[in-house]
Amino acid sequence: MRELSWPARVYLVAVIVVAAGVIAHSVASIGQAMAPGHPGGEGVGAEELGTLLVLALLFLVCESMPTLLNVEQFAVSVSFSAALAAVVLIGPEGTALVGFTAVFSVRPGLPLVKRLFNGAQFAICGHAAGWVYVRLGGRIGVPEVHAFDDLIGPYVAATAVFVPLNIVLTLTMIRLATGVRAMEVPMRGLAQFLLSYLGYGTFGLLVAGLWATVQSISAVLVLLPLFVARWALGQYHAQQRSYDATIAALCQAVETKDYYTRGHCTRVSAASSMIAQEIGMGQERLRAIRYAGMLHDVGKLGVPTKVLQKEGPLTEEEFAAIQLHPMRGLEIVRGIDFLDEAYAGIMHHHERHDGRGYPMGLAGDEIPEFARIIAVADAFDSMTSDRSYRGARPVEVAVEELRKNAGTQFDPVMVSAFVKALEHEPWQPPRRVEPPPPEADEAAVKDHDDPTMPIEVVSGP
């Protein structure tokens, strides 16, 4: 709580106060409905108490085991199915109580403040969705077969209230607590988030529909496959983290050879991803281009350090060793199956659009798409980073250099795509690199990635 800004604290307290009012009203309504002689109504009665407890337990279990999505900072849980099933089976008051059980989530490392906020906002969303369901004529209780069609419309409306309200409450808290605006959230992540919500909403309707025949077992029948899918997705994400760790270790090994290129692999990966997104690459290829950008210079591990860090011009033999680094890179990563199309980017990122590059002298469309992307990203980061022989160039100067070399060294399409990407996603140049410590080896005088300062080659030893 102390880490939150004052606006975030005020917002948190306001949400909790509203939720407390909703919970108090719900408890009072349920208590009245359970009183002897109560004529009934829309509240939760004694016969629905068991349903309430089962759904609350189900919601709590689901909320304690969220599912990570393919995008950072996004996760959903199957708990939405239980909450939306409660809208039909026990009404707004019962749904509010079911949602409030998020406070007791056993998710590891979840602070109390987040538990309170989650429980409060779920209670508010559940009660609001249930209220809309009732106002639109939805019948509370176990659906009858002949009347099932009548509840679909109100249920869809309840889902349409629950989902956006949950997102608005959550994003507002994120904005006040971290300063991240809703517009800064990746749109592909938000879209995946919404689709997941809607999918879980469908399962909630199935739970309510099956309750008439198998009662609480319906939740198990419907949600058990989701838990299996969640486990499989968890294994997938663990595998992806393992892949990322492997790539990061290789990059670190490369960058220990040159003091001035630390962080270069990560930045080339980011710039390559920007270009790939601009030209409309799919998710799987985006992951592959990110890996290719990270590993594009891994072949430097096969180049003698004294050649990479040599002062002055290189001999023809030494320059030939430099030119072999793309092929060395391919040899190093050939056995890593998950790289897929990244191989082509690693092998050919020093080819030129006019055919004067290396290692194979490919030209134009003969050069693989990944390699044409990385060539632009690689040169741009080299120009906007500090080197031993010059300081970092401004982004505007580097962009102008890319434009000047479009059609000769670089693919004009990729240069244009990168320039457009920079317009809506400004580039953050790396921090200024301090001179290496006295005991460190001297860095190379020229950089083979920098189109403005080509390596000097002399004949003879």
Side-chain angles (χ1 to χ4, degrees), residues 246-414:
T246 300
I247 301 301
L250 285 170
C251 289
Q252 187 175 13
V254 173
E255 293 178 350
T256 55
K257 281 200 164 193
D258 189 344
Y259 185 87
Y260 280 90
T261 60
R262 293 182 182 180
H264 173 66
C265 294
T266 303
R267 295 190 297 271
V268 170
S269 177
S272 298
S273 297
M274 290 170 61
I275 299 172
Q277 287 178 324
E278 190 65 35
I279 64 176
M281 273 194 184
Q283 286 295 324
E284 291 303 316
R285 296 190 75 209
L286 276 173
R287 182 179 297 108
I289 191 67
R290 181 167 62 85
Y291 287 152
M294 292 283 284
L295 294 176
H296 73 284
D297 272 345
V298 71
K300 286 183 177 180
L301 292 173
V303 179
T305 303
K306 65 180 182 180
V307 174
L308 289 175
Q309 299 183 348
K310 181 181 178 181
E311 297 181 51
L314 300 176
T315 66
E316 292 180 348
E317 291 77 10
E318 289 167 339
F319 185 54
I322 291 285
Q323 289 182 310
L324 282 175
H325 86 269
M327 300 183 69
R328 299 293 188 207
L330 184 62
E331 293 172 1
I332 291 172
V333 302
R334 191 188 298 274
I336 304 178
D337 295 335
F338 65 82
L339 290 179
D340 299 323
E341 197 175 353
Y343 293 137
I346 296 169
M347 173 76 170
H348 297 289
H349 70 279
H350 276 295
E351 305 286 1
R352 290 172 54 104
H353 194 70
D354 58 10
R356 296 168 56 196
Y358 61 87
M360 297 180 65
L362 302 181
D365 291 339
E366 295 177 340
I367 305 171
E369 188 176 40
F370 272 30
R372 285 180 273 147
I373 291 173
I374 295 174
V376 174
D378 193 16
F380 177 78
D381 181 68
S382 178
M383 288 187 286
T384 55
S385 303
D386 284 326
R387 290 294 183 263
S388 61
Y389 54 89
R390 58 145 176 85
R393 299 177 184 276
V395 170
E396 297 76 13
V397 174
V399 168
E400 188 57 37
E401 192 67 28
L402 291 177
R403 284 177 168 150
K404 186 174 75 173
N405 287 279
T408 54
Q409 182 172 353
F410 307 115
D411 183 341
V413 174
M414 301 309 173

Side-chain angles (χ1 to χ4, degrees), residues 46-324:
E47 67 276 8
E48 286 85 21
L49 182 59
T51 301
L52 171 60
L53 294 176
V54 170
L55 290 175
L57 179 60
L58 177 64
F59 183 92
L60 179 59
V61 171
C62 296
E63 184 61 20
S64 300
M65 301 169 59
T67 300
L68 295 176
L69 298 180
N70 239 358
V71 183
E72 292 182 3
Q73 300 178 347
F74 283 95
V76 294
S77 70
V78 195
S79 59
F80 285 95
S81 302
L84 290 169
V87 167
V88 176
L89 296 173
I90 53 180
E93 291 81 9
T95 305
L97 294 179
V98 167
F100 184 70
T101 58
V103 172
F104 307 104
S105 169
V106 295
R107 195 187 311 175
L110 191 65
L112 178 60
V113 171
K114 289 187 177 181
R115 294 173 188 273
L116 289 172
F117 176 77
N118 288 342
Q121 63 97 0
F122 276 130
I124 294 171
C125 293
H127 193 276
W131 185 86
V132 169
Y133 175 79
V134 171
R135 292 300 176 271
L136 292 180
R139 179 182 177 277
I140 297 175
V142 178
E144 298 178 3
V145 175
H146 63 83
F148 188 80
D149 291 346
D150 296 335
L151 64 82
I152 294 178
Y155 181 87
V156 171
T159 303
V161 169
F162 192 106
V163 173
L165 183 57
N166 172 265
I167 291 176
V168 168
L169 290 173
T170 303
L171 289 182
T172 302
M173 187 63 189
I174 292 174
R175 171 71 179 97
L176 294 175
T178 66
V180 177
R181 300 186 181 186
M183 65 185 67
E184 297 173 12
V185 176
M187 292 306 298
R188 66 181 186 280
L190 190 57
Q192 190 179 3
F193 207 38
L194 287 169
L195 288 174
S196 298
Y197 273 153
L198 295 175
Y200 290 156
T202 302
F203 285 108
L205 184 60
L206 290 176
V207 170
L210 290 174
W211 203 275
T213 55
V214 289
Q215 297 186 355
S216 58
I217 300 177
S218 68
V220 177
L221 292 176
V222 173
L223 300 182
L224 183 60
L226 289 182
F227 278 107
V228 173
R230 178 201 174 279
W231 174 85
L233 190 59
Q235 298 301 305
Y236 169 77
H237 281 288
Q239 186 180 53
Q240 290 299 316
R241 288 192 295 271
S242 177
Y243 290 166
D244 291 343
T246 300
I247 301 301
L250 285 170
C251 289
Q252 187 175 13
V254 173
E255 293 178 350
T256 55
K257 281 200 164 193
D258 189 344
Y259 185 87
Y260 280 90
T261 60
R262 293 182 182 180
H264 173 66
C265 294
T266 303
R267 295 190 297 271
V268 170
S269 177
S272 298
S273 297
M274 290 170 61
I275 299 172
Q277 287 178 324
E278 190 65 35
I279 64 176
M281 273 194 184
Q283 286 295 324
E284 291 303 316
R285 296 190 75 209
L286 276 173
R287 182 179 297 108
I289 191 67
R290 181 167 62 85
Y291 287 152
M294 292 283 284
L295 294 176
H296 73 284
D297 272 345
V298 71
K300 286 183 177 180
L301 292 173
V303 179
T305 303
K306 65 180 182 180
V307 174
L308 289 175
Q309 299 183 348
K310 181 181 178 181
E311 297 181 51
L314 300 176
T315 66
E316 292 180 348
E317 291 77 10
E318 289 167 339
F319 185 54
I322 291 285
Q323 289 182 310
L324 282 175

